[in-house]
Coordinates of all heavy atoms in Angstrom, one line a residue:
M1 N -73.9 10.4 6.7 CA -74.4 10.0 8.0 C -73.4 9.3 8.7 O -72.6 8.5 8.2 CB -75.7 9.2 7.7 CG -76.5 8.9 8.9 SD -78.1 8.2 8.5 CE -78.8 9.6 7.7
T2 N -73.3 9.5 10.0 CA -72.3 8.9 10.8 C -72.9 8.2 12.0 O -74.1 8.0 12.1 CB -71.3 9.9 11.3 OG1 -71.9 10.8 12.1 CG2 -70.6 10.6 10.2
G3 N -72.1 7.9 13.0 CA -72.6 7.3 14.2 C -73.2 6.0 14.0 O -72.8 5.2 13.1
S4 N -74.2 5.6 14.8 CA -74.8 4.3 14.7 C -75.5 4.1 13.4 O -75.9 3.0 13.0 CB -75.8 4.1 15.8 OG -75.1 4.1 17.0
C5 N -75.7 5.2 12.6 CA -76.4 5.1 11.4 C -75.5 4.5 10.3 O -75.9 4.1 9.3 CB -76.9 6.5 11.0 SG -78.0 7.2 12.2
R6 N -74.2 4.6 10.6 CA -73.2 4.1 9.6 C -73.4 2.6 9.3 O -73.6 1.8 10.2 CB -71.8 4.3 10.2 CG -70.7 3.9 9.3 CD -69.4 4.1 9.9 NE -69.3 3.3 11.2 CZ -68.2 3.3 12.0 NH1 -67.2 4.1 11.7 NH2 -68.2 2.6 13.1
G7 N -73.4 2.3 8.1 CA -73.5 0.9 7.8 C -74.9 0.3 7.6 O -75.1 -0.8 7.4
H8 N -75.9 1.1 7.9 CA -77.3 0.6 7.7 C -77.5 0.3 6.3 O -77.2 1.0 5.4 CB -78.3 1.7 8.2 CG -78.3 1.9 9.6 ND1 -79.1 2.8 10.3 CD2 -77.6 1.4 10.6 CE1 -78.9 2.8 11.5 NE2 -78.0 1.9 11.8
P9 N -78.1 -0.9 6.0 CA -78.3 -1.3 4.7 C -79.3 -0.4 3.9 O -79.2 -0.3 2.7 CB -78.8 -2.7 4.8 CG -79.3 -2.8 6.2 CD -78.6 -1.8 7.0
A10 N -80.3 0.1 4.5 CA -81.3 0.9 3.9 C -81.3 2.2 4.6 O -80.8 2.4 5.6 CB -82.6 0.2 3.9
T11 N -82.0 3.1 4.0 CA -82.1 4.4 4.6 C -83.6 4.9 4.7 O -84.1 5.6 3.9 CB -81.3 5.5 3.9 OG1 -80.0 5.0 3.7 CG2 -81.2 6.8 4.6
P12 N -84.2 4.4 5.8 CA -85.6 4.8 6.0 C -85.6 6.3 6.3 O -84.6 6.9 6.7 CB -86.1 4.0 7.2 CG -85.2 2.8 7.2 CD -83.9 3.3 6.7
D13 N -86.8 6.9 6.2 CA -86.9 8.4 6.4 C -86.3 8.8 7.7 O -85.7 9.9 7.7 CB -88.4 8.8 6.3 CG -88.9 8.6 4.8 OD1 -88.1 8.4 3.9 OD2 -90.1 8.6 4.7
W14 N -86.6 8.1 8.8 CA -86.1 8.6 10.1 C -84.6 8.9 10.1 O -84.1 9.8 10.8 CB -86.5 7.7 11.2 CG -86.0 6.3 11.3 CD1 -86.6 5.2 10.7 CD2 -84.8 6.0 11.9 NE1 -85.7 4.2 11.0 CE2 -84.6 4.6 11.7 CE3 -83.8 6.6 12.6 CZ2 -83.5 3.8 12.2 CZ3 -82.6 5.9 13.0 CH2 -82.6 4.5 12.8
R15 N -83.9 8.1 9.3 CA -82.4 8.3 9.4 C -82.0 9.6 8.7 O -80.9 10.1 8.9 CB -81.7 7.1 8.7 CG -81.9 5.9 9.5 CD -81.3 4.7 8.9 NE -81.7 3.5 9.7 CZ -81.9 2.3 9.2 NH1 -81.6 2.1 8.0 NH2 -82.3 1.4 10.0
D16 N -82.9 10.1 7.8 CA -82.5 11.4 7.2 C -82.5 12.5 8.2 O -82.0 13.6 7.9 CB -83.6 11.7 6.1 CG -83.5 10.7 5.0 OD1 -82.4 10.1 4.8 OD2 -84.5 10.6 4.2
Q17 N -83.1 12.3 9.4 CA -83.1 13.4 10.4 C -82.1 13.1 11.5 O -82.2 13.7 12.6 CB -84.5 13.5 10.9 CG -85.6 13.8 9.9 CD -86.9 13.8 10.5 OE1 -87.2 14.5 11.4 NE2 -87.8 13.0 10.0
A18 N -81.2 12.2 11.3 CA -80.3 11.8 12.4 C -79.4 12.9 12.8 O -78.7 13.5 12.0 CB -79.5 10.6 11.9
A19 N -79.4 13.2 14.1 CA -78.5 14.3 14.6 C -77.0 13.8 14.6 O -76.1 14.6 14.7 CB -78.9 14.6 16.1
C20 N -76.8 12.5 14.4 CA -75.4 12.0 14.4 C -74.7 12.3 13.0 O -73.5 12.1 12.9 CB -75.3 10.6 14.8 SG -76.4 9.5 13.9
A21 N -75.5 12.7 12.0 CA -74.8 13.0 10.8 C -73.8 14.1 10.9 O -74.1 15.1 11.5 CB -75.9 13.4 9.8
G22 N -72.6 13.8 10.5 CA -71.6 14.8 10.7 C -70.8 14.7 11.9 O -69.8 15.4 12.1
E23 N -71.3 13.9 12.9 CA -70.5 13.7 14.1 C -69.4 12.6 13.9 O -69.5 11.8 13.0 CB -71.5 13.2 15.2 CG -72.5 14.2 15.6 CD -72.0 15.4 16.4 OE1 -70.9 15.3 17.0 OE2 -72.7 16.5 16.4
D24 N -68.5 12.6 14.9 CA -67.4 11.6 14.8 C -68.0 10.2 15.0 O -68.6 9.9 16.1 CB -66.4 11.9 15.9 CG -65.3 10.9 16.0 OD1 -65.3 9.9 15.2 OD2 -64.4 11.0 16.9
P25 N -68.0 9.3 14.1 CA -68.6 8.0 14.2 C -68.0 7.2 15.3 O -68.6 6.3 15.9 CB -68.4 7.3 12.9 CG -67.4 8.1 12.2 CD -67.4 9.5 12.7
E26 N -66.8 7.5 15.7 CA -66.1 6.7 16.7 C -66.8 6.8 18.1 O -66.8 5.8 18.8 CB -64.6 7.1 16.9 CG -63.8 6.9 15.6 CD -63.7 5.4 15.2 OE1 -63.6 4.6 16.1 OE2 -63.8 5.1 14.0
I27 N -67.4 7.9 18.4 CA -68.0 8.0 19.7 C -69.3 7.2 19.8 O -69.7 6.9 20.9 CB -68.4 9.5 20.1 CG1 -69.4 10.1 19.1 CG2 -67.1 10.3 20.1 CD1 -69.9 11.5 19.6
F28 N -69.8 6.8 18.6 CA -71.0 6.0 18.7 C -70.7 4.4 18.8 O -71.6 3.6 19.0 CB -71.9 6.2 17.4 CG -72.6 7.5 17.5 CD1 -71.9 8.7 17.1 CD2 -73.8 7.7 18.1 CE1 -72.5 9.9 17.2 CE2 -74.4 8.9 18.2 CZ -73.8 10.1 17.8
F29 N -69.5 4.1 18.7 CA -69.0 2.8 18.9 C -67.9 2.8 19.9 O -66.7 2.5 19.6 CB -68.6 2.1 17.6 CG -69.8 1.9 16.7 CD1 -70.1 2.9 15.7 CD2 -70.6 0.8 16.8 CE1 -71.2 2.8 14.9 CE2 -71.7 0.7 15.9 CZ -72.0 1.6 15.0
P30 N -68.2 3.2 21.2 CA -67.1 3.3 22.2 C -66.6 2.0 22.6 O -67.2 0.9 22.5 CB -67.9 4.0 23.3 CG -69.3 3.5 23.2 CD -69.5 3.4 21.7
V31 N -65.3 2.0 23.1 CA -64.7 0.8 23.6 C -65.4 0.3 24.8 O -65.6 -0.9 25.0 CB -63.2 1.1 23.9 CG1 -62.6 -0.1 24.6 CG2 -62.5 1.5 22.6
S32 N -65.9 1.3 25.6 CA -66.6 0.9 26.9 C -68.0 1.5 26.8 O -68.3 2.5 26.3 CB -65.8 1.5 28.1 OG -66.7 1.4 29.2
D33 N -68.9 0.7 27.4 CA -70.3 1.1 27.5 C -70.5 2.1 28.6 O -71.6 2.7 28.8 CB -71.2 -0.1 27.8 CG -72.0 -0.5 26.6 OD1 -71.8 0.1 25.5 OD2 -72.8 -1.4 26.7
L34 N -69.5 2.3 29.4 CA -69.6 3.2 30.6 C -70.0 4.6 30.1 O -69.3 5.1 29.1 CB -68.3 3.3 31.4 CG -68.0 2.0 32.1 CD1 -66.7 2.1 32.9 CD2 -69.1 1.6 33.1
A35 N -71.0 5.2 30.7 CA -71.5 6.5 30.2 C -71.2 7.6 31.1 O -71.9 8.6 31.3 CB -73.0 6.4 29.9
A36 N -70.1 7.5 31.9 CA -69.7 8.5 32.8 C -69.3 9.8 32.0 O -69.0 9.7 30.8 CB -68.4 8.1 33.6
P37 N -69.5 11.0 32.6 CA -69.2 12.2 31.9 C -67.8 12.2 31.3 O -66.9 11.8 31.9 CB -69.3 13.3 33.1 CG -70.2 12.7 34.1 CD -69.9 11.2 34.0
G38 N -67.8 12.7 30.0 CA -66.5 12.8 29.3 C -66.2 11.5 28.5 O -65.3 11.6 27.7
T39 N -66.9 10.4 28.7 CA -66.6 9.2 27.9 C -67.2 9.4 26.6 O -68.1 10.2 26.3 CB -67.1 8.0 28.6 OG1 -68.6 8.1 28.7 CG2 -66.6 7.8 30.0
E40 N -66.7 8.5 25.6 CA -67.3 8.6 24.3 C -68.8 8.3 24.3 O -69.6 8.9 23.6 CB -66.5 7.6 23.4 CG -65.2 8.0 23.0 CD -64.5 7.0 22.1 OE1 -64.7 5.8 22.3 OE2 -63.7 7.4 21.3
A41 N -69.1 7.3 25.1 CA -70.5 6.9 25.2 C -71.4 8.1 25.7 O -72.5 8.3 25.2 CB -70.8 5.7 26.1
S42 N -70.9 8.9 26.6 CA -71.7 10.0 27.1 C -71.7 11.1 26.1 O -72.8 11.8 25.9 CB -71.1 10.6 28.4 OG -69.9 11.3 28.2
L43 N -70.7 11.3 25.3 CA -70.8 12.2 24.2 C -71.8 11.8 23.1 O -72.6 12.7 22.6 CB -69.4 12.4 23.6 CG -68.3 12.9 24.5 CD1 -66.9 12.9 23.8 CD2 -68.6 14.4 24.9
A44 N -71.8 10.6 22.8 CA -72.7 10.1 21.8 C -74.2 10.2 22.3 O -75.1 10.7 21.6 CB -72.4 8.6 21.5
R45 N -74.4 9.9 23.6 CA -75.7 10.0 24.1 C -76.2 11.4 24.2 O -77.4 11.7 24.1 CB -75.8 9.3 25.5 CG -75.6 7.8 25.4 CD -75.5 7.1 26.7 NE -76.8 7.0 27.3 CZ -77.0 7.0 28.6 NH1 -75.9 7.0 29.5 NH2 -78.2 7.0 29.1
A46 N -75.3 12.3 24.4 CA -75.7 13.7 24.4 C -76.2 14.1 23.0 O -77.1 14.9 22.9 CB -74.5 14.6 24.8
V47 N -75.5 13.6 22.0 CA -76.0 13.9 20.6 C -77.4 13.3 20.4 O -78.3 14.0 19.9 CB -75.0 13.3 19.6 CG1 -75.6 13.5 18.1 CG2 -73.7 14.0 19.6
C48 N -77.5 12.1 20.8 CA -78.8 11.4 20.7 C -79.9 12.2 21.4 O -81.1 12.3 20.9 CB -78.8 10.0 21.3 SG -77.7 8.9 20.3
R49 N -79.6 12.7 22.6 CA -80.7 13.4 23.3 C -81.2 14.6 22.6 O -82.3 15.1 22.9 CB -80.2 13.7 24.7 CG -80.2 12.5 25.6 CD -80.1 12.8 27.1 NE -78.7 13.3 27.4 CZ -77.7 12.5 27.7 NH1 -77.9 11.2 27.8 NH2 -76.5 13.0 28.0
R50 N -80.5 15.2 21.7 CA -81.1 16.3 20.9 C -81.5 15.8 19.5 O -81.8 16.7 18.6 CB -80.0 17.4 20.8 CG -78.8 17.1 20.0 CD -77.8 18.3 20.0 NE -76.5 17.9 19.5 CZ -76.2 17.7 18.2 NH1 -77.1 17.8 17.3 NH2 -75.0 17.4 17.8
C51 N -81.7 14.6 19.3 CA -82.0 14.0 18.0 C -83.5 13.9 17.9 O -84.2 13.3 18.8 CB -81.3 12.7 17.8 SG -81.7 11.9 16.2
A52 N -84.1 14.3 16.8 CA -85.5 14.3 16.6 C -86.0 12.9 16.4 O -87.2 12.7 16.5 CB -85.9 15.2 15.4
V53 N -85.2 12.0 16.0 CA -85.6 10.6 15.7 C -85.1 9.6 16.8 O -85.0 8.4 16.5 CB -85.2 10.2 14.3 CG1 -86.0 11.0 13.3 CG2 -83.7 10.3 14.1
L54 N -84.9 10.1 18.0 CA -84.3 9.2 19.0 C -85.2 7.9 19.2 O -84.7 6.8 19.2 CB -84.2 9.9 20.3 CG -83.6 9.2 21.5 CD1 -83.0 10.2 22.5 CD2 -84.6 8.4 22.3
I55 N -86.5 8.1 19.3 CA -87.4 7.0 19.6 C -87.4 6.0 18.4 O -87.3 4.8 18.6 CB -88.8 7.4 19.9 CG1 -88.8 8.3 21.2 CG2 -89.8 6.2 20.1 CD1 -88.3 7.6 22.4
A56 N -87.4 6.5 17.2 CA -87.4 5.6 16.0 C -86.1 4.8 16.0 O -86.1 3.6 15.7 CB -87.6 6.4 14.7
C57 N -85.0 5.5 16.3 CA -83.7 4.9 16.2 C -83.6 3.8 17.3 O -83.2 2.7 17.0 CB -82.7 5.9 16.4 SG -81.0 5.3 16.6
R58 N -84.0 4.1 18.5 CA -83.9 3.1 19.6 C -84.9 1.9 19.3 O -84.5 0.8 19.5 CB -84.4 3.8 20.9 CG -84.3 2.8 22.1 CD -84.8 3.5 23.4 NE -84.0 4.6 23.7 CZ -84.3 5.5 24.7 NH1 -85.4 5.3 25.4 NH2 -83.5 6.5 25.0
T59 N -86.0 2.2 18.8 CA -87.0 1.1 18.5 C -86.4 0.2 17.4 O -86.4 -1.1 17.5 CB -88.3 1.7 18.0 OG1 -88.9 2.5 19.0 CG2 -89.3 0.6 17.6
W60 N -85.8 0.8 16.4 CA -85.1 0.0 15.3 C -84.1 -0.9 15.9 O -84.0 -2.1 15.6 CB -84.6 0.9 14.3 CG -84.1 0.2 13.0 CD1 -84.8 0.0 11.9 CD2 -82.8 -0.5 12.9 NE1 -84.1 -0.7 11.0 CE2 -82.9 -1.0 11.6 CE3 -81.7 -0.6 13.7 CZ2 -81.8 -1.8 11.1 CZ3 -80.6 -1.4 13.2 CH2 -80.7 -1.9 11.9
A61 N -83.2 -0.3 16.8 CA -82.1 -1.1 17.4 C -82.6 -2.2 18.2 O -82.1 -3.3 18.2 CB -81.2 -0.2 18.2
L62 N -83.7 -2.0 19.0 CA -84.3 -3.0 19.8 C -84.9 -4.1 19.0 O -84.7 -5.3 19.2 CB -85.3 -2.4 20.8 CG -84.8 -1.6 21.9 CD1 -85.9 -0.8 22.5 CD2 -84.0 -2.4 22.9
E63 N -85.6 -3.7 18.0 CA -86.3 -4.7 17.1 C -85.3 -5.6 16.3 O -85.6 -6.7 15.9 CB -87.3 -4.0 16.2 CG -88.5 -3.5 16.9 CD -89.5 -2.7 16.0 OE1 -89.2 -2.5 14.8 OE2 -90.5 -2.4 16.5
H64 N -84.2 -5.0 16.0 CA -83.2 -5.7 15.2 C -82.1 -6.3 16.0 O -81.1 -6.8 15.4 CB -82.7 -4.8 14.1 CG -83.7 -4.4 13.0 ND1 -84.6 -3.4 13.2 CD2 -84.0 -5.0 11.8 CE1 -85.4 -3.3 12.2 NE2 -85.0 -4.3 11.3
G65 N -82.2 -6.3 17.3 CA -81.2 -6.9 18.1 C -79.8 -6.3 18.0 O -78.8 -7.0 18.2
E66 N -79.8 -5.0 17.7 CA -78.5 -4.3 17.5 C -77.7 -4.4 18.8 O -78.2 -3.9 19.8 CB -78.7 -2.9 17.0 CG -77.4 -2.2 16.7 CD -76.6 -2.9 15.6 OE1 -77.1 -3.1 14.5 OE2 -75.4 -3.2 16.0
D67 N -76.6 -5.0 18.8 CA -75.9 -5.3 20.0 C -74.5 -4.6 20.0 O -73.6 -5.1 20.7 CB -75.7 -6.8 20.3 CG -75.6 -7.1 21.7 OD1 -76.0 -6.3 22.6 OD2 -75.0 -8.1 22.0
D68 N -74.4 -3.5 19.3 CA -73.1 -2.8 19.3 C -73.4 -1.3 19.1 O -74.2 -1.0 18.3 CB -72.2 -3.3 18.2 CG -70.8 -2.8 18.3 OD1 -70.3 -2.5 19.4 OD2 -70.1 -2.7 17.2
G69 N -72.7 -0.5 19.9 CA -72.8 0.9 19.7 C -73.9 1.6 20.4 O -74.7 0.9 21.1
I70 N -74.0 2.9 20.3 CA -75.0 3.7 20.9 C -76.1 3.9 19.9 O -75.8 4.4 18.8 CB -74.4 5.1 21.3 CG1 -73.2 4.9 22.3 CG2 -75.5 5.9 22.0 CD1 -73.5 4.2 23.6
W71 N -77.3 3.6 20.2 CA -78.5 3.8 19.4 C -79.6 4.5 20.3 O -79.9 3.9 21.3 CB -79.0 2.5 18.9 CG -78.1 1.8 17.9 CD1 -76.9 1.1 18.2 CD2 -78.3 1.7 16.5 NE1 -76.4 0.6 17.1 CE2 -77.2 0.9 16.0 CE3 -79.2 2.1 15.6 CZ2 -77.0 0.6 14.7 CZ3 -79.1 1.8 14.3 CH2 -78.0 1.1 13.8
G72 N -80.1 5.5 19.8 CA -81.3 6.1 20.6 C -80.9 6.4 22.0 O -81.7 6.2 22.9
A73 N -79.7 6.8 22.2 CA -79.2 7.2 23.6 C -79.1 6.0 24.5 O -79.0 6.2 25.7 CB -80.0 8.3 24.2
T74 N -79.0 4.8 24.0 CA -78.9 3.6 24.8 C -77.6 2.9 24.4 O -77.2 2.9 23.3 CB -80.0 2.6 24.7 OG1 -80.1 2.2 23.3 CG2 -81.3 3.2 25.2
T75 N -77.0 2.3 25.5 CA -75.8 1.5 25.3 C -76.3 0.1 24.9 O -77.5 -0.3 25.1 CB -74.9 1.4 26.5 OG1 -75.7 0.8 27.5 CG2 -74.5 2.8 26.9
A76 N -75.4 -0.7 24.5 CA -75.7 -2.1 24.2 C -76.3 -2.8 25.4 O -77.2 -3.6 25.4 CB -74.6 -2.9 23.6
A77 N -75.6 -2.6 26.6 CA -76.1 -3.2 27.8 C -77.5 -2.7 28.2 O -78.3 -3.5 28.7 CB -75.1 -2.9 28.9
Q78 N -77.8 -1.5 28.0 CA -79.1 -1.0 28.3 C -80.2 -1.6 27.4 O -81.2 -2.0 27.8 CB -79.2 0.5 28.2 CG -78.4 1.2 29.3 CD -78.2 2.7 29.0 OE1 -78.0 3.2 27.8 NE2 -78.3 3.5 30.1
R79 N -79.8 -1.8 26.1 CA -80.8 -2.4 25.2 C -81.0 -3.9 25.6 O -82.1 -4.4 25.5 CB -80.3 -2.3 23.7 CG -80.4 -0.8 23.2 CD -80.2 -0.8 21.7 NE -79.0 -1.3 21.3 CZ -77.8 -0.7 21.3 NH1 -77.7 0.5 21.8 NH2 -76.7 -1.3 20.9
R80 N -80.0 -4.6 26.0 CA -80.1 -6.0 26.4 C -81.1 -6.0 27.6 O -81.9 -6.9 27.7 CB -78.8 -6.6 26.8 CG -78.0 -7.0 25.6 CD -76.8 -7.9 25.9 NE -75.8 -7.2 26.8 CZ -74.8 -6.5 26.2 NH1 -74.6 -6.3 25.0 NH2 -73.9 -5.9 27.1
A81 N -80.9 -5.1 28.6 CA -81.8 -5.0 29.7 C -83.2 -4.7 29.3 O -84.2 -5.3 29.9 CB -81.3 -4.0 30.7
I82 N -83.4 -3.8 28.4 CA -84.8 -3.5 27.9 C -85.4 -4.7 27.3 O -86.6 -5.1 27.5 CB -84.7 -2.3 26.9 CG1 -84.4 -1.0 27.6 CG2 -86.1 -2.2 26.2 CD1 -84.1 0.1 26.7
R83 N -84.6 -5.5 26.4 CA -85.2 -6.7 25.8 C -85.5 -7.7 26.8 O -86.6 -8.4 26.7 CB -84.2 -7.2 24.8 CG -84.1 -6.4 23.5 CD -83.4 -7.1 22.3 NE -82.0 -7.3 22.6 CZ -81.1 -6.4 22.2 NH1 -81.4 -5.3 21.5 NH2 -79.8 -6.6 22.5
R84 N -84.7 -7.9 27.8 CA -85.0 -8.9 28.9 C -86.3 -8.5 29.6 O -87.1 -9.4 29.9 CB -83.8 -9.0 29.9 CG -82.7 -9.8 29.4 CD -81.8 -10.2 30.6 NE -81.2 -9.0 31.2 CZ -80.1 -8.4 30.9 NH1 -79.4 -8.8 29.9 NH2 -79.7 -7.3 31.5
A85 N -86.4 -7.2 29.9 CA -87.6 -6.8 30.6 C -88.9 -6.8 29.8 O -89.9 -6.9 30.4 CB -87.3 -5.3 31.1
T86 N -88.8 -6.8 28.5 CA -90.0 -6.7 27.7 C -90.3 -7.9 26.9 O -91.3 -8.0 26.2 CB -89.9 -5.5 26.8 OG1 -88.8 -5.6 25.9 CG2 -89.8 -4.2 27.5
M87 N -89.4 -8.9 27.0 CA -89.6 -10.2 26.3 C -90.8 -10.9 26.9 O -91.1 -10.8 28.1 CB -88.4 -11.1 26.4 CG -87.3 -10.8 25.4 SD -85.9 -11.9 25.5 CE -86.4 -13.3 26.5
E88 N -91.5 -11.7 26.0 CA -92.5 -12.6 26.5 C -91.9 -13.6 27.5 O -90.8 -14.1 27.2 CB -93.1 -13.3 25.3 CG -93.9 -12.4 24.4 CD -95.3 -12.0 25.0 OE1 -95.9 -12.8 25.7 OE2 -95.7 -10.9 24.7
P89 N -92.5 -13.9 28.6 CA -92.0 -14.9 29.4 C -92.0 -16.2 28.7 O -92.8 -16.5 27.8 CB -92.9 -14.9 30.6 CG -94.2 -14.2 30.2 CD -93.8 -13.3 29.0
P90 N -91.1 -17.1 29.1 CA -91.0 -18.4 28.4 C -92.3 -19.2 28.7 O -92.9 -19.0 29.8 CB -89.8 -19.1 29.0 CG -89.5 -18.3 30.3 CD -90.1 -16.9 30.1
N91 N -92.7 -20.0 27.8 CA -93.9 -20.8 27.9 C -93.6 -21.9 28.9 O -92.8 -22.8 28.7 CB -94.3 -21.4 26.6 CG -95.6 -22.2 26.7 OD1 -96.1 -22.3 27.8 ND2 -96.1 -22.6 25.6
T92 N -94.2 -21.8 30.1 CA -93.9 -22.8 31.2 C -94.9 -23.9 31.2 O -94.8 -24.8 32.0 CB -93.8 -22.1 32.5 OG1 -95.1 -21.4 32.8 CG2 -92.7 -21.1 32.6
H93 N -95.9 -23.8 30.3 CA -96.9 -24.8 30.3 C -96.2 -26.1 29.8 O -95.6 -26.2 28.7 CB -98.0 -24.4 29.3 CG -99.0 -25.5 29.1 ND1 -100.0 -25.8 30.0 CD2 -99.2 -26.4 28.1 CE1 -100.7 -26.8 29.6 NE2 -100.3 -27.2 28.4
T94 N -96.4 -27.1 30.5 CA -95.8 -28.4 30.1 C -97.0 -29.3 29.7 O -98.0 -29.3 30.3 CB -95.0 -29.1 31.2 OG1 -95.9 -29.1 32.4 CG2 -93.8 -28.3 31.5
K95 N -96.7 -30.0 28.7 CA -97.7 -31.0 28.2 C -97.9 -32.1 29.2 O -97.0 -32.5 29.9 CB -97.3 -31.5 26.8 CG -97.4 -30.4 25.8 CD -97.1 -31.0 24.4 CE -97.3 -30.0 23.3 NZ -97.0 -30.5 22.0
G96 N -99.0 -32.7 29.1 CA -99.3 -33.8 29.9 C -98.4 -35.0 29.5 O -97.7 -35.0 28.5
R97 N -98.5 -36.0 30.2 CA -97.7 -37.2 30.0 C -97.9 -37.8 28.6 O -96.9 -38.3 28.0 CB -98.2 -38.3 31.0 CG -97.3 -39.4 31.1 CD -97.8 -40.3 32.2 NE -96.7 -41.3 32.4 CZ -96.6 -41.9 33.6 NH1 -97.4 -41.7 34.6 NH2 -95.6 -42.8 33.7
H98 N -99.0 -37.6 28.0 CA -99.3 -38.1 26.7 C -99.2 -37.0 25.6 O -99.7 -37.2 24.5 CB -100.6 -38.9 26.6 CG -100.7 -40.0 27.6 ND1 -99.9 -41.1 27.4 CD2 -101.3 -40.1 28.8 CE1 -100.1 -41.9 28.5 NE2 -101.0 -41.3 29.3
G99 N -98.7 -35.8 26.0 CA -98.5 -34.8 25.0 C -99.8 -34.0 24.8 O -99.9 -33.2 23.8
D100 N -100.8 -34.0 25.7 CA -102.0 -33.3 25.5 C -102.2 -32.3 26.7 O -101.4 -32.2 27.5 CB -103.2 -34.2 25.4 CG -103.3 -35.1 26.6 OD1 -103.0 -34.8 27.7 OD2 -103.8 -36.2 26.3
Ligands
SF4_201 S1 -80.8 8.7 18.2 FE1 -78.5 8.9 18.2 S2 -77.7 7.2 16.9 FE2 -79.9 7.4 16.5 S3 -80.1 8.7 14.7 FE3 -80.2 10.0 16.5 S4 -78.2 10.7 16.9 FE4 -78.0 8.9 15.5

């Protein structure tokens, strides 16, 4: 298994269906997050888009705070944006003067 799946400590079932198996792992850890046509990131994302486990992979990366590489057709910057957009808002309730 290659790509973003490389180095995973365990191998849940969804990873057995990874389309990145056999692909060049380097494209899944591009130097740049830019996904313009012809870049490594765009090549990796093209593999992901034909992957049967794209959603499981992306969910895993989001839930585990994976902040490097291409996972589920998303770049690290895209996953940070998703996490920011879906995080619980901070608790703005302030306690009263006496803590109640
Ligand atoms: S979505 Fe992409 S990184 Fe994830 S398992 Fe599939 S091909 Fe690999």
Side-chain angles (χ1 to χ4, degrees):
M1 189 169 296
T2 62
S4 295
C5 305
R6 180 181 61 179
H8 289 182
T11 307
D13 292 344
W14 64 267
R15 291 179 189 150
D16 294 339
Q17 300 174 58
C20 52
E23 296 286 341
D24 178 1
E26 297 300 320
I27 67 172
F28 287 87
F29 293 94
V31 173
S32 168
D33 255 5
L34 293 178
T39 61
E40 288 181 323
S42 74
L43 296 174
R45 293 175 73 208
V47 174
C48 292
R49 282 193 289 273
R50 64 177 170 78
C51 180
V53 293
L54 183 154
I55 299 300
C57 176
R58 181 183 297 172
T59 300
W60 189 96
L62 288 167
E63 289 177 352
H64 291 82
E66 184 58 57
D67 204 26
D68 190 26
I70 305 295
W71 295 73
T74 59
T75 65
Q78 291 171 323
R79 290 191 303 278
R80 284 193 293 275
I82 292 169
R83 283 195 293 268
R84 279 195 301 272
T86 58
M87 274 180 20
E88 292 286 324
N91 184 356
T92 56
H93 174 76
T94 54
K95 290 185 175 182
R97 192 174 191 156
H98 302 288
D100 54 35

